[in-house]
């Protein structure tokens, strides 16, 4: 009981520390770096495996804020802060895992050139986290949300670090993991990246001889009109379905439809009928 009380007190204190430091980072930006130099060691101690998952999560929140709101100048701390993100991105605690994959996402987007050396390890770690989570039977919504965030981080890394990524392997993996399951806050980002790849006829996403086109159409049709995306994204996806239907030869279109599940074909027909009114 005393241990539980001590852990609870530690978590409460860690929350207050992370909240205060996060506020300072957001308000002072680059001017906060001198302060972080002094606080960094204490923050890294919060990430030690002996600390509670909640305390470690709050420490990761600080790291996430540091990278997101200070940007490339935070790169000098990457040798200290990226390894814990990679380590705990596969943690069994879904909240800690989600905080870490978000940190990898903002590092890919805002971390500047210093993140380049971590790109491949980040993608490998994210892929392992997604694959492991998807194998969990009767996964909770917290696990599904962490998985969706990992997919989003993977997609953002491909977008912002494409020159450092083997897209011929990464984009088919990304396609295979879709659709997202629960996280509507990340859906806009993920499906915007997905739609942009389809609109540009990305050869890696569509595959050799457009072998992955049935899966692309399946995702477009399944997600279109779902509650996880907004009306603007639904309209964008509907336009893509219509364009694919118009642009590929009739025999290829019929062959594509034979590879779609019945419910997907039915919904696709409804989308086309609606758009042709």
């Amino acid at each position: 009981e005393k241990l539980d009380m001590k852990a609870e007190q530690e978590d409460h204190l860690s929350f207050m520390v992370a909240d205060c430091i996060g506020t300072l980072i957001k308000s002072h930006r680059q001017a906060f770096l001198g302060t972080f130099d002094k606080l960094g060691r204490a923050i890294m101690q919060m990430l030690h495996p002996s600390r509670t998952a909640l305390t470690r999560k709050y420490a990761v929140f600080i790291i996430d804020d540091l990278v997101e709101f200070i940007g490339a100048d935070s790169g000098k701390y990457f040798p200290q802060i990226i390894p814990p993100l990679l380590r705990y991105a596969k943690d069994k605690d879904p909240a800690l895992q989600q905080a870490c994959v978000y940190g990898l996402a903002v590092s890919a987007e805002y971390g500047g050139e210093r993140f380049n050396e971590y790109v491949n390890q980040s993608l490998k770690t994210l892929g392992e986290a997604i694959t492991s989570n998807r194998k969990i039977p009767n996964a909770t919504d917290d696990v599904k949300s962490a998985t969706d965030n990992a997919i989003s981080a993977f997609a953002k890394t491909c977008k912002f670090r494409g020159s450092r990524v083997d897209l011929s392997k990464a984009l088919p993996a990304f396609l295979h993991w879709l659709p997202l399951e629960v996280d509507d806050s990340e859906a806009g980002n993920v499906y915007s990246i997905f739609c942009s790849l389809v609109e540009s006829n990305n050869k890696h996403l569509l595959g050799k001889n457009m072998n992955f086109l049935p899966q692309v159409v399946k995702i477009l049709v399944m997600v279109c009109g779902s509650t996880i995306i907004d009306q603007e994204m639904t309209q964008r996806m509907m336009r893509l379905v219509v364009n694919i239907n118009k642009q590929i030869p009739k025999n290829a279109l019929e062959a594509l439809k034979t590879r779609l599940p019945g419910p997907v074909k039915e919904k696709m027909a409804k989308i086309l009928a609606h758009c042709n009114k």
Side-chain angles (χ1 to χ4, degrees):
E1 187 175 339
K2 287 183 179 179
L3 287 175
D4 288 343
M5 185 176 294
K6 183 179 179 182
E8 188 176 330
Q9 290 172 342
E10 176 188 308
D11 291 339
H12 180 66
L13 179 60
S14 298
F15 167 76
M16 293 175 64
V17 169
D19 189 51
C20 290
I21 293 177
T23 300
L24 290 170
I25 290 171
K26 292 168 188 174
S27 61
H28 289 72
R29 307 269 172 148
Q30 271 71 10
F32 180 78
L33 289 174
T35 303
F36 190 82
D37 287 335
K38 300 173 183 176
L39 296 176
R41 186 172 182 179
I43 294 168
M44 297 310 297
Q45 288 175 348
M46 290 170 64
L47 288 163
H48 192 275
S50 64
R51 308 301 285 271
T52 67
L54 202 53
T55 287
R56 283 177 279 156
K57 183 186 76 169
Y58 292 142
V60 173
F61 283 174
I62 296 171
I63 292 173
D64 293 354
D65 285 341
L66 184 78
V67 179
E68 183 171 4
F69 294 99
I70 294 179
D73 287 343
S74 66
K76 68 177 183 176
Y77 304 111
F78 282 177
Q80 289 77 45
I81 65 178
I82 297 298
L85 295 184
L86 294 170
R87 182 185 314 125
Y88 296 131
K90 296 187 288 183
D91 197 84
K92 292 181 180 179
D93 184 278
L96 174 57
Q97 183 185 86
Q98 182 164 322
C100 288
V101 301
Y102 182 82
L104 294 174
V106 295
S107 297
E109 185 169 357
Y110 303 111
E113 291 186 3
R114 285 182 169 132
F115 187 69
N116 284 338
E117 65 181 279
Y118 301 100
V119 167
N120 288 326
Q121 184 59 46
S122 179
L123 285 179
K124 181 174 182 291
T125 298
L126 290 167
E128 289 170 352
I130 295 162
T131 301
S132 177
N133 284 1
R134 285 278 172 88
K135 291 179 180 177
I136 297 174
N138 302 313
T140 65
D141 281 353
D142 286 345
V143 171
K144 291 177 181 179
S145 182
T147 308
D148 287 351
N149 274 261
I151 295 169
S152 179
F154 191 97
K156 288 177 181 177
T157 305
C158 291
K159 176 181 178 179
F160 295 110
R161 305 285 168 166
S163 63
R164 298 277 172 167
V165 176
D166 184 352
L167 294 175
S168 67
K169 294 180 180 178
L171 292 183
F174 167 58
L175 176 63
H176 174 72
W177 291 322
L178 295 177
L180 301 188
E181 294 186 277
V182 297
D183 199 321
D184 54 5
S185 65
E186 288 299 324
N189 290 320
V190 170
Y191 290 122
S192 179
I193 293 171
F194 174 67
C195 287
S196 293
L197 291 167
V198 179
E199 288 160 351
S200 64
N201 293 315
N202 185 278
K203 64 180 181 180
H204 302 303
L205 186 81
L206 296 174
K208 188 177 181 181
N209 299 318
M210 297 222 171
N211 283 340
F212 301 146
L213 185 59
Q215 179 65 9
V216 168
V217 171
K218 179 182 175 184
I219 298 303
L220 287 169
V221 172
M222 286 173 61
V223 177
C224 197
S226 64
T227 57
I228 204 169
I229 59 171
D230 60 21
Q231 186 61 29
E232 184 179 351
M233 183 58 67
T234 289
Q235 294 296 325
R236 187 177 179 185
M237 289 186 160
M238 289 174 71
R239 286 194 298 271
L240 281 170
V241 173
V242 170
N243 289 340
I244 290 170
N245 187 67
K246 287 180 178 178
Q247 291 173 4
I248 67 174
K250 188 174 181 180
N251 59 336
L253 182 63
E254 294 305 315
L256 181 153
K257 289 179 179 178
T258 63
R259 295 174 62 184
L260 297 176
V264 175
K265 282 191 283 188
E266 291 175 15
K267 187 175 178 182
M268 181 178 179
K270 290 178 181 177
I271 290 171
L272 294 172
H274 174 79
C275 292
N276 290 330
K277 283 182 180 179

